[in-house]
């Protein structure tokens, strides 16, 4: 009792809470409420043309019994793992290169941002033209170089479509990784490297002893952002394959979208809750194993 | 991200529009389409406002069908007085009507002695009418057609377009072989096979012209011998006769097919009616060399074509229903339907336009269109059509991708459809 009184009688604490109030309110209204709303809707039969009914967890039972849902979960998780790892790998390389004093660095830093600045739907359309069977750039190059003597249907098999989607996504979002890592790199004092050089270390030693440990919190943040973003992948697939061939590239968000568009809000909400839980679990994992809090301290 | 912003913007706009108080006789009409189509609608609506003294306001809907549906569902589910009138894709009408979003038009029709005989009975009865109530009227009718290259058929000694699928295959195999000596990209027959709604229209045409069907006694049957045969035929077009491009099942939708035919790379094309004006435009390499016909059929059965198009409906929550009905009468009138046909190529929902001798002289293809509309088939008229269609798209596309046999695809599809039916049928 006394302690609470103390907190609020303390003028400084009180104004701190006041300053935080707008953030807390907007987080409540725009994040917490919709999540709760979706959770509640997911327990109902909410179909436009049927009377509403409280179902307990039937929507979830139906979800777990649908092989196409599991297919979309598998696809999404595989996509997240492959694309995020590749993006981290390339992003790190680009960031390390751009952090060095190379000629034309300013131009390169801007150039590398271009894919990130293009709306996803448009870059997906561009990639669609690259992969196109008849007049796509890729088939043109393959034919000219004599690698293949017939046109290849890149999006025609499940694995082909998967790889095509991953390549497009890596091209699109590696710049994001690069920028965040570059920001992290620029905070590492140059003096450390100078000192290490005097001590006679080689490049790899400097990377693993200095760069990597100091960059780790930034890497965790970048991975966190990208993973949560990737798990909700929608627009790229919607434009590039529409979930085909034969539904093999349906992401969880696309799966949910199909139900929202057709007016089954209860089931669509249940799928969204699963996406939310998956993303939240991955975020917790990162924070836990990235020892995020400790490093920041 | 872009989508999120779009939805937020849409929501803000939606709040703004719904906050406005409407004056008397003011109503909104939600219409979507290509930019020049909407511009023409604006002109029509200006004319209407001048004539009637009412104030109709055009709200432009997104170009994509899915997004139009989404924005309508959001407003109607929220029981908003806007929109008052809107255009619906034929396959939404049942869901919208069963969701109690549509005002039955019967009382207005009876009050004004408005004749619905002017419309195609086959269309009205299959998609606009439920349990004796009329919920919508056709504004623009669309249908699947066979486009063919007159010059090529003549060059190889064929006098008329193929009547049966067998004739189509024979002619396409022969001509494709010869033409490929000149043009490596030449294909015998192009149609829509990507995983999307258009595939179901093509599938429906193939199965019904093989004597199959999807709806029987209110139940959906996919796994019948005729349907399996039709799907096998679709599969054969890609893998046995090889007259359809091998990427038919990946990226081929209407526009891909239209471009390929228009560039002179195809002998036969299955497409909607809009392709005609494009093929005949200046700059098209097939201008003046093409004809349209009914789609072929299997020997012993009849031709069929999938029905598409946009029908006008009135919102149950509209607060100016009499004025809205007046506008429906205006856009379904002979005059307006004629204008839509002449200016933006929208095929009229009214029969009398197809019989008008002046128009027939100007647009001879109306005669064929009339015939084709009389052989139209509609996609299953059920409120949960979207779920059924989604399952169909996956299995049919998977079969075209050569990953599952036609028989197995339809067997699996039937199981899936039974599940969907069990969930959405009221008990």
């Amino acid at each position: 009792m006394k302690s609470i009184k103390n907190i609020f009688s303390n003028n400084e604490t009180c104004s701190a809470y006041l300053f935080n109030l707008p953030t807390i309110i907007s987080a409540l209204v725009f994040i917490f409420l919709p999540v709760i709303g979706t959770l509640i809707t997911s327990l109902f039969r909410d179909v436009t043309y049927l009377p509403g009914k409280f179902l307990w967890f039937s929507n979830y039972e139906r979800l777990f019994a649908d092989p196409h849902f599991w297919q979309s979960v598998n696809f999404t998780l595989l996509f997240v793992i492959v694309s995020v790892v590749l993006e981290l790998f390339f992003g790190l390389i680009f960031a390390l290169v751009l952090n060095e004093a190379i000629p034309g660095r300013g131009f390169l830093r801007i150039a590398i941002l271009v894919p990130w600045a293009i709306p996803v739907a448009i870059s997906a359309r561009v990639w669609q033209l690259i992969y196109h069977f008849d007049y796509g750039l890729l088939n043109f190059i393959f034919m000219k170089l004599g690698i293949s003597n017939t046109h290849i249907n890149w999006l025609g098999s499940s694995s082909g479509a998967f790889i095509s989607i991953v390549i497009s996504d890596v091209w699109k979002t590696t710049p994001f990784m690069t920028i965040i890592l570059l920001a992290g790199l620029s905070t590492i004092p140059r003096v450390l490297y100078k000192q290490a050089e005097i001590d006679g270390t080689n490049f790899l030693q400097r990377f693993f002893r200095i760069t990597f440990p100091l960059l780790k919190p930034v890497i965790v943040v970048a991975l966190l952002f990208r993973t949560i973003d990737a798990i909700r992948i929608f627009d790229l697939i919607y434009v590039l394959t529409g979930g085909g061939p034969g539904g093999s590239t349906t992401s969880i968000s696309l799966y949910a979208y199909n139900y929202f568009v057709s007016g089954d809000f209860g089931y669509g909400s249940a799928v969204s809750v699963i996406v939310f839980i998956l993303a939240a679990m991955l975020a917790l994992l990162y924070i836990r194993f990235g020892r995020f809090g400790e490093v920041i301290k | 991200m872009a989508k999120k912003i779009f939805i937020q913007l849409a929501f803000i706009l939606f709040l703004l529009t719904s906050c406005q108080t409407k004056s008397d006789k003011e109503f909104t009409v939600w219409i979507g389409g290509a930019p020049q189509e909407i511009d023409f609608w604006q002109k029509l609506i200006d004319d209407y406002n001048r004539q009637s003294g009412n104030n109709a306001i055009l709200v432009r809907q997104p170009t994509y069908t899915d997004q139009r549906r989404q924005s309508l569902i959001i407003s109607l589910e929220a029981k908003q007085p806007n929109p008052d009138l809107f255009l619906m894709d034929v396959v939404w009408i049942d869901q919208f009507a069963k969701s109690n979003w549509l005002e039955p038009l019967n009382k207005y029709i009876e009050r004004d002695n408005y004749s619905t005989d002017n419309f195609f009975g086959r269309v009205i009865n299959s998609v606009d009418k439920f349990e004796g109530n009329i919920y919508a009227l056709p504004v623009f009718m669309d249908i699947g057609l066979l486009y063919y290259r007159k010059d090529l058929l003549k060059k190889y000694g064929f006098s008329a377009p193929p009547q049966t699928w067998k004739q189509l295959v024979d002619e396409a195999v022969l001509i494709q072989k010869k033409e490929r000596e000149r043009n490596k990209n030449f294909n015998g027959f192009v149609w829509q096979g990507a995983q999307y709604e258009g595939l179901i229209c093509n599938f429906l045409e193939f199965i019904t012209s093989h004597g199959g069907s999807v709806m029987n006694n209110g139940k959906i049957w996919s796994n019948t011998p005729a349907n399996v045969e039709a799907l096998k035929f679709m599969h054969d077009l890609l893998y046995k006769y090889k007259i359809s491009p091998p990427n038919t099942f990946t990226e081929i939708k209407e526009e891909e097919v239209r471009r390929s035919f228009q560039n002179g790379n195809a002998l036969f094309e299955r497409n909607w009616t809009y392709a005609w004006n494009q093929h005949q435009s200046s700059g098209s390499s097939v201008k003046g060399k093409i004809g349209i016909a009914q789609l072929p059929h299997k020997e012993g059965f009849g031709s069929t074509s999938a029905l598409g198009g946009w029908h006008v409906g009135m919102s149950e929550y509209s607060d100016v229903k009499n004025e809205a009905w007046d506008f429906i009468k205006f856009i379904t009138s002979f005059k307006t339907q004629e204008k839509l046909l002449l200016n933006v190529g929208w095929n009229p929902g009214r029969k009398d336009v197809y019989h008008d001798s002046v128009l027939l002289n100007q647009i001879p293809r109306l005669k064929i269109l009339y015939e084709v509309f009389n052989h139209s088939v509609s996609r299953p008229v059920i409120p949960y059509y979207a779920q059924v269609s989604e399952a169909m798209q996956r299995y049919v596309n998977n079969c075209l991708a050569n990953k599952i046999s036609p028989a197995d695809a339809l067997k699996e599809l039937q199981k899936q459809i039974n599940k969907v039916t069990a969930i959405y049928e009221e008990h």
Side-chain angles (χ1 to χ4, degrees), chain B residues 18 20 46-47 66 76 166 177 206-207 210 214 217 220 224 234 246 275 278 300 366 380 390 401 421:
Chain B
S18 53
Q20 287 168 357
D46 291 342
D47 286 348
D66 267 358
L76 292 167
K166 193 176 171 306
K177 197 172 159 225
F206 280 114
I207 61 177
H210 276 81
V214 269
N217 284 331
I220 306 164
T224 66
M234 291 166 80
Q278 310 252 359
L366 283 181
E390 195 271 332
T421 314

Side-chain angles (χ1 to χ4, degrees), chain A:
Chain A
M1 191 63 209
K2 205 184 170 191
S3 64
I4 292 172
K5 209 176 172 186
N6 271 345
I7 289 171
F8 283 98
S9 59
N10 185 335
N11 220 353
E12 214 169 300
T13 325
C14 195
S15 46
Y17 275 103
L18 260 176
F19 278 119
N20 271 320
L21 204 61
T23 318
I24 293 168
I25 289 177
S26 58
L28 274 178
V29 172
F30 293 111
I31 299 169
F32 189 67
L33 282 185
V35 169
I36 297 296
T38 310
L39 260 171
I40 294 172
T41 312
S42 75
L43 302 177
F44 281 85
R45 179 171 78 183
D46 188 354
V47 181
T48 60
Y49 45 88
L50 294 175
K53 200 166 110 184
F54 185 64
L55 289 178
W56 288 106
F57 293 98
S58 294
N59 281 329
Y60 292 93
E61 275 170 38
R62 190 179 141 201
L63 190 65
F64 294 138
D66 183 5
H68 191 225
F69 169 72
W70 288 111
Q71 192 188 8
S72 70
V73 172
N74 287 341
F75 168 80
T76 311
L77 290 181
L78 193 64
F79 169 79
V80 169
I81 292 167
V82 176
S83 64
V84 171
V85 166
L86 285 175
E87 282 154 23
L88 177 66
F89 178 72
F90 288 115
L92 200 54
I93 289 177
F94 286 142
L96 287 172
V97 170
L98 290 177
N99 198 39
E100 297 304 317
I102 48 168
R105 186 169 74 160
F107 172 75
L108 282 176
R109 279 188 176 180
I110 295 169
I112 206 158
L113 262 182
V114 169
W116 179 247
I118 300 173
V120 185
I122 293 172
S123 66
R125 193 76 184 118
V126 170
W127 278 98
Q128 199 173 34
L129 293 176
I130 293 175
Y131 296 132
H132 198 280
F133 182 77
D134 287 321
Y135 40 83
L137 180 71
L138 210 54
N139 272 334
F140 177 76
I141 293 173
F142 267 56
M143 299 278 281
K144 278 281 174 227
L145 293 180
I147 301 172
S148 151
N149 53 6
T150 52
H151 283 182
I152 298 167
N153 193 5
W154 301 104
L155 301 173
S157 64
S158 320
S159 50
F162 178 78
I163 295 167
S164 306
I165 290 170
V166 167
I167 292 174
S168 318
D169 193 67
V170 169
W171 176 81
K172 170 100 189 88
T173 39
T174 297
F176 174 77
M177 254 336 178
T178 310
I179 290 302
I180 292 195
L181 295 178
L182 201 53
L185 283 177
S186 59
T187 61
I188 301 175
R190 288 268 141 192
V191 106
L192 290 177
Y193 292 102
K194 283 267 153 54
Q195 228 158 21
E197 248 170 272
I198 291 166
D199 290 343
T201 54
N202 63 24
F203 171 78
L204 278 181
Q205 279 172 319
R206 286 199 296 279
F207 176 77
F208 283 109
R209 295 296 167 97
I210 302 171
T211 316
F212 191 71
L214 288 174
L215 199 59
K216 213 172 125 195
V218 179
I219 292 180
V220 171
V221 172
L223 280 178
L224 187 66
F225 280 171
R226 270 311 302 147
T227 308
I228 292 177
D229 223 21
I231 213 163
R232 298 173 302 146
I233 178 87
F234 174 82
D235 21 18
L236 180 67
I237 294 173
Y238 184 72
V239 177
L240 201 56
T241 66
S248 61
T249 57
T250 310
S251 69
I252 313 180
S253 297
L254 187 60
Y255 180 88
Y257 173 81
N258 287 335
Y259 286 93
F260 279 114
V261 165
S262 55
D264 189 344
F265 300 110
Y267 189 69
S269 297
V271 184
S272 308
V273 169
I274 300 292
V275 179
F276 169 75
I277 291 173
L278 271 177
M281 267 170 27
L282 281 170
L284 284 176
L285 274 179
Y286 274 126
I287 292 171
R288 180 80 190 77
F289 290 100
R291 292 198 301 236
F292 187 55
E294 285 170 39
V295 184
I296 291 294
K297 271 177 214 161

Side-chain angles (χ1 to χ4, degrees), chain A residues 45-51 62 65-68 71 119-120 125 128 131-135 143 151 153 155-158 232 234-235 238-248 250 255 257-265 267, chain B residues 1-4 64 66-67 69-70 73-74 77 94-95 98-101 184-185 187 195 245-253 256 259-260 383-387 390 393-395 397-398 401 403 416 419-420 423-427:
Chain A
R45 179 171 78 183
D46 188 354
V47 181
T48 60
Y49 45 88
L50 294 175
R62 190 179 141 201
D66 183 5
H68 191 225
Q71 192 188 8
V120 185
R125 193 76 184 118
Q128 199 173 34
Y131 296 132
H132 198 280
F133 182 77
D134 287 321
Y135 40 83
M143 299 278 281
H151 283 182
N153 193 5
L155 301 173
S157 64
S158 320
R232 298 173 302 146
F234 174 82
D235 21 18
Y238 184 72
V239 177
L240 201 56
T241 66
S248 61
T250 310
Y255 180 88
Y257 173 81
N258 287 335
Y259 286 93
F260 279 114
V261 165
S262 55
D264 189 344
F265 300 110
Y267 189 69
Chain B
M1 196 61 197
K3 193 175 131 50
K4 239 168 110 183
Y64 281 116
D66 267 358
Q67 289 168 0
R69 178 187 198 146
Q70 203 177 353
I73 286 186
I74 290 169
E77 179 78 357
D94 192 66
Q95 183 198 353
K98 297 218 167 101
S99 304
N100 298 322
W101 293 337
K184 269 203 316 206
N185 294 325
N187 286 300
Q195 186 185 331
N247 62 329
T248 295
F249 63 93
T250 47
E251 58 233 315
I252 299 215
K253 301 185 180 178
E256 282 73 18
R259 258 183 251 130
S260 148
Y384 50 93
Y385 171 71
Q387 272 80 18
E390 195 271 332
Q393 289 170 31
R394 264 190 291 129
Y395 285 100
N397 185 262
N398 218 5
K403 288 202 285 192
Q416 191 70 31
K419 267 192 221 163
V420 171
I423 292 161
Y424 293 108
E425 279 289 346
E426 267 252 64
H427 300 296

Side-chain angles (χ1 to χ4, degrees), chain B residues 177-416:
Chain B
K177 197 172 159 225
K178 297 275 184 196
E179 286 294 310
R180 278 211 178 152
E181 291 165 11
R182 232 175 19 84
N183 174 2
K184 269 203 316 206
N185 294 325
F186 193 86
N187 286 300
F189 180 35
V190 289
W191 44 282
Q192 294 88 40
Q195 186 185 331
Y196 81 122
E197 184 60 32
L199 170 61
I200 300 312
C201 299
N202 281 249
F203 178 57
L204 187 69
E205 284 159 358
F206 280 114
I207 61 177
T208 46
S209 62
H210 276 81
S213 68
V214 269
M215 285 296 271
N216 199 347
N217 284 331
K219 278 220 155 40
I220 306 164
W221 296 107
S222 77
N223 192 17
T224 66
N227 292 359
V228 173
E229 193 194 336
L231 184 56
K232 187 170 177 306
F233 178 70
M234 291 166 80
H235 186 269
D236 284 348
L237 288 173
L238 271 76
Y239 299 101
K240 186 174 160 195
Y241 310 123
K242 296 187 165 60
I243 52 173
S244 297
N247 62 329
T248 295
F249 63 93
T250 47
E251 58 233 315
I252 299 215
K253 301 185 180 178
E254 289 89 2
E255 275 297 274
E256 282 73 18
V257 161
R258 179 187 67 76
R259 258 183 251 130
S260 148
F261 188 79
Q262 196 154 324
N263 292 334
N265 289 336
L267 171 65
F268 297 118
E269 172 199 20
R270 183 269 171 211
N271 211 338
W272 302 97
T273 53
Y274 83 101
W276 176 267
N277 284 340
Q278 310 252 359
H279 290 330
Q280 293 291 56
S281 64
S282 56
S284 155
S285 50
V286 296
K287 190 183 175 190
K289 299 177 186 166
I290 62 165
I292 48 171
Q294 286 202 38
L295 286 162
H297 53 82
K298 193 193 161 193
E299 192 96 55
F301 296 96
S303 288
T304 55
S305 286
L307 184 71
W310 295 86
H311 292 218
V312 63
M314 190 197 298
S315 165
E316 165 75 21
Y317 312 109
S318 164
D319 44 6
V320 277
K321 287 180 178 154
N322 283 322
E323 285 75 12
W325 165 248
D326 190 54
F327 188 75
I328 293 184
K329 278 200 295 187
F330 168 74
I331 60 175
T332 55
S333 69
F334 185 92
K335 265 262 145 60
T336 312
Q337 293 271 295
E338 184 188 17
K339 279 186 197 161
L340 279 168
L341 170 67
L342 292 174
N343 290 284
V344 286
W346 283 26
N347 305 303
R350 289 173 74 98
K351 283 191 290 190
D352 43 4
V353 184
Y354 296 85
H355 298 317
D356 187 80
S357 54
V358 182
L359 279 173
L360 267 172
N361 266 332
Q362 206 179 338
I363 310 172
R365 69 176 191 283
L366 283 181
K367 211 178 147 202
I368 300 173
L369 286 177
Y370 183 78
E371 207 40 53
V372 181
F373 280 124
N374 277 323
H375 292 93
S376 63
V377 282
S378 54
R379 285 162 274 170
V381 180
I382 42 171
Y384 50 93
Y385 171 71
Q387 272 80 18
V388 170
S389 164
E390 195 271 332
M392 279 188 178
Q393 289 170 31
R394 264 190 291 129
Y395 285 100
V396 174
N397 185 262
N398 218 5
C399 172
L400 295 178
N402 209 12
K403 288 202 285 192
I404 184 169
S405 75
D408 287 345
L410 292 185
K411 208 164 81 190
E412 291 298 311
L413 173 60
Q414 184 72 62
K415 278 190 214 157
Q416 191 70 31

